[in-house]
Amino acid sequence: MLGPPYERQTIDLGTDDEGPVVATVVRRRAERPTGRAVLYVHGFVDYFFQTHLADFFAERGWDFYALDLRKYGRSLLPHQTPNFCSDISDYFPELDAAAEIIRKDDGHDTLLAMGHSTGGLITSLWADARRDAGTVDGLVLNSPFFDLNAPWAVRRPLAAAVSRLGRRAPHRIVPFGLGTVYGESLHADHRGEWTYDLAWKPLAGFPVRAGWLNAIRTGQRRLRAGLDIQVPVLLACSTRSFRGTKWHDNATLADAVLDVEHMVRYAPRLGRHVTLARFDGGLHDLTLSGPAVRAKVFDEVGRWAEAFLAAGPTAPADDVAAEDESSEDAVQLPESRRPASDPEGAATTGG
């Protein structure tokens, strides 16, 4: 679907109560062999299509990997309920498998995990669960989903009742939804600048199921109780939220999905080393914000990675090459093993 230089690899995850389950790793290599890699995890009603994000890292000497989780995007099979899970830990096997591909198969020694929205909640809980294994070296959270964006009565008593329903009737559809405002602010057919597959990322999202909401709420409660992530964390979000259900131009300058103050409030619960960065005019997915804002986001991510991961220069490859030629202290990047894999778009999953 993306074509060269992207590759894809399917992860067989066995079966669940709906049948066979897979996840999909999409890979974009840097121009030169490198020991550094990024693992990107999307949000709810989402999949990887942000090729400009992959380009940013690849141009700076990072191999980029994106994981389409089970029942999302490239990994969604015809017999499956889109985007459904019954527990956040359901996603840990594909995260572990992707990390093994990155570290063991492809030979990287530095792994930066990056999660957006629900992916931010998932990667936070995963990084905490794997803290003694040294699986990741750093964590970037792009507008993470730490609480429901609703009044207290909905977030607590009503959500608790739905959670109980989720344990008895997990596939029951509940009256929680995304609306269309955020989708309109993104897609080029409406008011945005981005083109992506509306079958995998529909404007109004997929129906919210009681079991999924129970899984999210359980994971959020675990996070808010306090994690012990051992690696540096960068939490990035907008400076404001937009709560309207009808279109307004303010939706192009704010997070139209979540309450950003929840992210700020619970950031200290992640671990001992958390950096908070807020961006005026940022959208829910900060990397899809307007050009000036996303340039600031990328600059902050690059500087943070250089400072806290001892990752070396994060300037584009051409700039690094020029510095190498003029410096006696140029850093030699280790060779990576590069096993052959099917090119992105091969018929390894449905779609």
Side-chain angles (χ1 to χ4, degrees):
M1 292 168 296
L2 295 178
Y6 290 91
E7 303 166 309
R8 67 187 290 177
Q9 182 171 342
T10 300
I11 300 171
D12 185 350
L13 297 168
T15 61
D16 66 5
D17 60 339
E18 293 186 320
V21 182
V22 299
T24 310
V25 174
V26 177
R27 176 170 44 207
R28 160 80 157 92
R29 300 185 191 276
E31 292 299 319
R32 298 184 295 174
T34 177
R36 302 182 290 177
V38 176
L39 175 60
Y40 173 81
V41 182
H42 57 77
F44 183 57
V45 189
D46 206 358
Y47 72 102
F48 171 68
F49 64 91
Q50 299 87 342
T51 55
H52 63 295
L53 176 62
D55 292 342
F56 167 80
F57 281 106
E59 289 167 1
R60 286 155 178 79
W62 295 74
D63 283 347
F64 182 89
Y65 298 74
L67 181 64
D68 276 13
L69 298 166
R70 64 184 69 196
K71 306 186 183 184
Y72 283 86
R74 298 165 182 84
S75 307
L76 178 61
L77 302 178
H79 60 272
Q80 294 177 329
T81 303
N83 300 185
F84 183 79
C85 77
S86 57
D87 193 281
I88 294 297
S89 63
D90 290 349
Y91 299 120
F92 290 2
E94 55 253 55
L95 286 162
D96 291 339
E100 183 172 359
I101 290 169
I102 292 168
R103 286 197 179 274
K104 183 178 179 181
D105 295 350
D106 289 359
H108 297 89
D109 50 35
T110 298
L111 174 55
L112 171 63
M114 185 174 188
H116 166 56
S117 195
T118 303
L121 174 65
I122 294 166
T123 53
S124 295
L125 294 170
W126 176 62
D128 178 68
R130 302 293 182 264
R131 61 181 177 271
D132 295 330
T135 304
V136 300
D137 299 291
L139 180 63
V140 174
L141 304 177
N142 171 5
S143 305
F145 187 14
F146 288 171
D147 208 344
L148 303 176
N149 185 12
W152 180 87
V154 176
R155 286 187 286 124
R156 298 299 181 261
L158 180 57
V162 173
S163 291
R164 290 192 291 271
L165 173 64
R167 291 190 284 271
R168 300 193 307 272
H171 288 277
R172 179 78 60 84
I173 295 175
V174 295
F176 291 83
L178 296 177
T180 63
V181 171
Y182 180 56
E184 290 180 46
S185 75
L186 296 182
H187 203 277
D189 289 348
H190 297 270
R191 306 170 194 269
E193 63 174 295
W194 306 100
T195 300
Y196 51 83
D197 192 333
L198 291 172
W200 289 344
K201 187 176 173 64
L203 290 186
F206 293 108
V208 174
R209 311 277 175 169
W212 177 87
L213 191 62
N214 178 57
I216 293 297
R217 185 171 180 271
T218 300
Q220 290 175 338
R221 290 177 64 190
R222 191 180 310 145
L223 182 144
R224 294 195 301 267
L227 304 181
D228 188 22
I229 298 173
Q230 296 291 308
V231 299
V233 180
L234 171 63
L235 191 153
C237 63
S238 184
T239 57
R240 65 179 75 93
S241 294
F242 175 82
R243 294 179 175 81
T245 57
K246 296 182 179 180
W247 179 259
H248 191 282
D249 287 346
N250 287 345
T252 64
L253 300 170
D255 189 323
V257 178
L258 297 179
D259 186 335
V260 295
E261 298 308 321
H262 293 158
M263 308 170 199
V264 175
R265 180 185 309 165
Y266 298 118
R269 312 284 178 88
L270 293 165
R272 304 171 188 174
H273 191 160
V274 180
T275 303
L276 175 65
R278 306 187 70 174
F279 298 90
D280 191 30
L283 297 183
H284 176 55
D285 185 342
L286 292 169
T287 71
L288 302 181
S289 303
V293 177
R294 66 176 180 261
K296 293 178 181 178
V297 172
F298 288 159
D299 180 62
E300 184 68 26
V301 170
R303 292 191 300 113
W304 178 88
E306 182 177 344
F308 293 118
L309 271 67
T314 54
D318 289 345
D319 294 345
V320 174
E323 291 175 5
D324 288 351
E325 291 174 0
S326 62
S327 172
E328 296 180 356
D329 298 321
V331 176
Q332 299 299 317
L333 298 175
E335 293 288 336
S336 291
R337 285 175 290 166
R338 300 193 180 281
S341 62
D342 293 335
E344 165 63 7
T348 51
T349 62

